Amino acid sequence: FFLLKHYSMGASQSSSSQLESQLAGVPGEIKPKKLRQLHQQVLFEYPFLANIFESMLITDCRLPDCPIVYCNDLFEQMTCYPKEEIIGKNCRFLQGVDTDKNVVRSIRKAVDEGLELEVELLNYRKDGVPFYNVFLMLPIHAPKKNSGTVQYFIAIQKDITILRQPGSNPQAWTPAEVGMWLYHSGLSSFMQPFMDNGVTGEQLLKLKSYDEISGIADESTIADQKVLLTKVTQLANNPAKSYQVDISKINQFQYTNNPENAENSNRLQLGDKVYVAN
């Protein structure tokens, strides 16, 4: 089933149980029986999703503001938000200052008209890290129908930052893209102050002194500033190879849960706070 990373979308009892194991039991979340029905309806409308294992969520467009009523564990991991802070919200909570308003309008239009849509969207994780998200949303209709009134939307996301950004033109980077580069280059302490100050790629490449950096990130150390200037020089000299992606950064919010034994394992750990599967 597409909701699960390690299981196929079958009609078996095991598949349904694994699906329900990712419910968090928080207010506003879809009930197990309804989730099983939606499981079957999605199989009916979109059988190609059977073998897609990605971050996903379900929204209920019959309710005001089309709130999220279900998300899988992979969505938690991608966004670093626990389900307790996801369920009941509109998907816009992942948007930020550099999110393309035209893309947002196209999403709203698709929701209003009950249409399928695939877009690329800049989103922000709970810890402030921006990422590029390929976002596919599909309407879900009444049982055994594939047209008519849309009741729910299923949205499937893929973080494509590490695929999209290497080789891009640093001169054209937005402040969010500068933040991505800083984060993935091991310079995360500079990420937030640089984004807060609206530093573009063009401005980044013009940095030449410690004083300039201190004017942006006043709490940074000389040692960190030296590393930053070295990496900026490398970026300017060879932009195609200087976007060093640290995969461990992408995966630092790992699950400790084992899907075979979900009821006894942790769902998500953020800092010193652990969210446990109910």
Side-chain angles (χ1 to χ4, degrees), residues 7-24:
Y7 296 88
S8 63
M9 189 182 197
S12 67
Q13 181 63 38
S14 175
S15 176
S16 295
S17 297
Q18 292 298 334
L19 170 61
E20 292 174 40
S21 75
Q22 297 197 45
L23 288 167

Side-chain angles (χ1 to χ4, degrees), residues 45-102:
E45 292 197 61
Y46 309 107
F48 65 87
L49 290 179
N51 296 311
I52 294 179
F53 311 127
E54 299 293 351
S55 162
M56 63 77 59
L57 55 81
I58 295 173
T59 64
D60 189 338
C61 53
R62 302 170 303 174
L63 298 177
D65 208 25
C66 201
I68 299 167
V69 293
Y70 180 87
C71 71
N72 66 354
D73 292 351
L74 292 176
F75 184 81
E76 279 189 318
Q77 184 178 7
M78 183 181 75
T79 65
C80 299
Y81 282 94
K83 292 173 187 173
E84 287 79 356
E85 297 178 19
I86 296 171
I87 302 300
K89 290 186 177 180
N90 184 280
C91 298
R92 75 174 70 91
F93 82 98
L94 294 175
Q95 298 170 15
V97 293
D98 282 328
T99 301
D100 190 326
K101 300 300 186 292
N102 290 326

Side-chain angles (χ1 to χ4, degrees), residues 152-189:
Y152 298 87
F153 273 95
I154 179 171
I156 302 161
Q157 299 89 17
K158 179 71 173 179
D159 182 347
I160 61 165
T161 305
I162 62 173
L163 302 176
R164 183 188 192 278
Q165 286 307 101
S168 60
N169 178 13
Q171 287 279 354
W173 284 352
T174 65
E177 289 172 325
V178 169
M180 292 176 196
W181 177 78
L182 290 167
Y183 176 79
H184 291 294
S185 297
L187 298 165
S188 58
S189 63

